Amino acid sequence: MREIENNKPVNNIINYTVVFYEEEPKANTFGSNDVIYEIFYSTKTGIMQVDEIGAFGDRTLIGRYQDRRGRGITIDEMLENIKEISEMTYAEFKEKILKKE
């Protein structure tokens, strides 16, 4: 392995999970009605993407929503987005984050 003691990170990845609805699994059922989104940000690409996660016995990807502004965003903007998202209702989240332009 090469000497890496003085290397800075080549990529920082933020993974933020937002759970709008959660229920206990019911007997004799498969999956749940949870409403979950995962938000990813990579400093290497500079892009934020939102994945809608289903609960069909595993964490199935249902949908993917790319950068809401149609461009890469800065790390400061991403942190602002996380604060904003943490205070949104589900209706606001769908309108502001999941809308397709």
Side-chain angles (χ1 to χ4, degrees), residues 6-93:
N6 295 317
N7 287 14
K8 292 185 178 179
V10 294
N11 193 13
N12 292 290
I13 300 169
I14 297 172
N15 180 0
Y16 174 58
T17 302
V18 184
V19 180
F20 286 102
Y21 178 76
E22 197 170 41
E23 67 179 23
E24 293 293 321
K26 295 180 177 63
N28 303 314
T29 62
F30 185 67
S32 71
N33 293 321
D34 294 356
V35 178
I36 300 172
Y37 293 87
E38 290 184 347
I39 299 168
F40 298 95
Y41 177 79
S42 166
T43 58
K44 186 180 264 185
T45 63
I47 298 295
M48 178 182 79
Q49 68 184 33
V50 179
D51 292 350
E52 183 176 358
I53 305 300
F56 302 107
D58 60 5
R59 297 176 62 76
T60 305
L61 175 66
I62 295 175
R64 176 166 284 160
Y65 306 87
Q66 298 294 329
D67 180 12
R68 70 180 179 162
R69 293 181 178 97
R71 62 171 176 82
I73 60 175
T74 67
I75 191 70
D76 290 337
E77 289 172 319
M78 181 62 201
L79 295 174
E80 287 173 15
N81 287 341
I82 289 173
K83 182 175 183 338
E84 180 184 351
I85 289 166
S86 71
E87 297 169 355
M88 286 181 184
T89 65
Y90 184 45
E92 291 169 331
F93 182 82

